[in-house]
Amino acid sequence: MRILVAEDERITRTTLVRQLEGWGHQVTAAEDGEQAWEQYQSGAFEIVITDWEMPRLSGVELIQRIRAGGNTGEGDRHDGAAYVYIIMLTSRSNKSDIVGGIEAGADDFVSKPFDKEELRVRVLAGERVVRLERTLSRQNDELRAAGERMRHDLEAAARVQRAMLPRENITTSHVRSAWTYVPTDELAGDAIGLHLIDDRYLVSYVVDVSGHGVPAALLAVTAMHALSPAGEGSLLLKGADEGEGIGRVNNPSRVVAELNRRFCAGDNDGRFLTMILCVLDSHAGLLHFARAGHPLPVLVRSGKSLAVSEDGGLPLGLVDSMDYEEVVLQLEPGDRVALYSDGFIEQPGHSQAGQFGDARFAALLTGATQVLPERLVTDSVDSLTAWAGKRSFVDDVSLVVVDWLGR
Amino acid sequence: MARIFNEAELLERVGNDIGFLSETAEMLTSDGPPLLEQLGAAVAAGDAAAVGRLAHTLKGMVSNFCAPSVQTCAMELEKMGKGGDLAAAGPALEVVKQGVSELTTELLDFIKARA
């Protein structure tokens, strides 16, 4: 250990230094408190042993300066804040010195005239504390660095995930659509998509992976990738040997079944996915959708929420070779369809009891028929924020709104 | 005749190193007299604070030689100074001077006999 000894009386100082050096320590001696303070600032001491009464600067003043944050320069100090163990030398009779010294920041005391063995074990205790503090400090640094690396990785992953979201809302002379997506953490377990194929077929979907964090996000990204119409082998677009389809687009029931097959074949770490996939022939107003354990879409017509078929199937990744029902609806001009994740309806209120709920959500949609989809999705998140008391939700929140304008 | 210092305790304290004991005894012979001189001046001037501070240093100095009687005398003088009452300081200082003188002489004799 590097030890600084502050003692104005020469014989005691010499004896202390000799003892400490005999035990293998590197010792620096100071003749008074002020000199000790100067040496402390230019050295890298792990233990300070100081007398109480000294000329120029007393032991207690020296301790106060050290504890106020004085650095000991370079050495192996991590950030100028490494702990220095302080032992105070005091008269055996003077208890008030002990109390005052420890209150000022001393860790221990040794009575004068000091006993050799007592001094040895007190210094030993100091060594233990110093080593423990250095180890903890190093581990803290390592943890901080690891946390920083993970944060960077998560941010990079979140950027990748965001890049897969729809670029913009889609509006044509037949259809007007908008979406919103609020992840609860850096990475989301929700996925949404909005694609216009051949200027006619509007594909929209919401996927919700069970759980949160990186595993859920990886599955969400996998689903988005499989459903992208851009890549080779997209599930969305028909292959040459595939059936009828909706224009060039595969039927939603077929796409959902194939996605289920793929997720059942892989290792999903015990997770499953719910999903709703819609294909709207925007020229004919014919809406096809298939559901895998996902909340029903909300269909709003003339300011009212209409019942839609509950046909569907189990969530993806649970049972292989599932068939999924396909529901087909003929829309009327002005009809509005909303797809969403359960994060929207299951959000607890900050003061009110219970969740946001289906009824409140439906009322939000039916009460805003004159509001354009792009404004509606923003207003909806604002309403949920007011309900939650903050713009931070317990689950990922996704919403896609599609208005069919007519033929 | 018993020595003014505890021989066994002192030897244990210096790890039976007579050379080191000799070094510290020399420090006593060089640092002791000027300190006692300053103490005398402080007593004469009635400077109680200085008496307390200097007697404290002297107490620490002699404590290294396991001489409890001399240490106690120095402590009494320190108390007088810190208590601000120097009425008995003059005689007390004489006792301390006598004690330090005896300690120094006995130490040097002891070291010489062991060398």
Side-chain angles (χ1 to χ4, degrees), chain B residues 65-87:
Chain B
F65 299 102
C66 308
S69 60
V70 188
Q71 196 183 322
T72 305
C73 292
M75 189 173 75
E76 289 304 320
L77 196 54
E78 180 189 357
K79 278 185 189 167
M80 290 174 196
K82 288 183 175 171
D85 180 6
L86 296 185

Side-chain angles (χ1 to χ4, degrees), chain A residues 51-203:
Chain A
D51 188 19
W52 179 263
E53 281 189 39
M54 288 184 290
R56 301 208 288 164
L57 188 74
S58 74
V60 76
E61 287 168 323
L62 175 64
I63 293 169
Q64 282 166 343
R65 284 192 189 180
I66 291 171
R67 290 295 183 237
N71 291 350
T72 66
E74 303 304 318
D76 67 349
R77 296 175 69 82
H78 307 293
D79 51 5
Y83 194 74
V84 177
Y85 194 85
I86 303 176
I87 298 172
M88 191 177 56
L89 295 169
T90 183
S91 303
R92 200 179 295 274
S93 57
N94 205 338
K95 280 188 184 167
S96 65
D97 280 6
I98 297 168
V99 172
I102 288 181
E103 278 178 349
D107 296 290
D108 201 358
F109 67 93
V110 171
S111 299
K112 286 202 297 186
F114 66 86
D115 176 83
K116 206 167 65 176
E117 271 306 289
E118 184 186 341
L119 176 69
R120 189 181 67 78
V121 296
R122 303 268 185 184
V123 170
L124 196 63
E127 274 189 74
R128 278 200 290 265
V129 169
V130 165
R131 288 191 201 287
L132 184 65
E133 192 274 341
R134 299 299 190 269
T135 304
L136 281 174
S137 179
R138 195 169 49 249
Q139 287 172 343
N140 270 341
D141 288 346
E142 287 167 6
L143 277 175
R144 206 174 294 121
E148 194 62 16
R149 277 197 305 277
M150 283 176 68
R151 197 177 60 77
H152 279 293
D153 287 351
L154 281 175
E155 283 171 0
R159 281 197 297 276
V160 170
Q161 194 174 34
R162 281 197 299 273
M164 297 189 78
L165 293 172
R167 294 235 168 81
E168 53 197 5
N169 298 325
I170 294 173
T171 300
T172 70
S173 55
H174 300 281
V175 75
R176 189 171 190 120
S177 64
W179 60 275
T180 189
Y181 176 85
V182 185
T184 187
D185 296 317
E186 287 92 343
L187 294 174
D190 275 10
I192 63 174
L194 197 58
H195 307 289
L196 185 65
I197 311 290
D198 299 335
D199 288 331
R200 176 168 179 172
Y201 304 102
L202 184 74
V203 177

Side-chain angles (χ1 to χ4, degrees), chain A residues 230-245:
Chain A
E232 283 285 318
S234 165
L235 286 182
L236 272 185
L237 301 181
K238 267 194 324 178
D241 57 344
E242 288 174 318
E244 286 298 306

Side-chain angles (χ1 to χ4, degrees), chain A residues 345-364:
Chain A
I345 51 174
E346 291 176 0
Q347 172 61 43
H350 73 105
S351 57
Q352 303 90 332
Q355 301 176 335
F356 194 70
D358 295 298
R360 197 170 279 102
F361 181 62
L364 196 68

Side-chain angles (χ1 to χ4, degrees), chain B residues 4-5 25 28-30 32-33 97-111:
Chain B
I4 199 167
F5 60 88
L28 179 66
T29 58
S30 61
K97 278 183 177 174
Q98 184 62 30
V100 172
S101 171
E102 282 178 28
L103 174 62
T104 310
T105 306
E106 288 191 21
L107 272 174
L108 294 176
D109 286 350
F110 177 73
I111 291 162

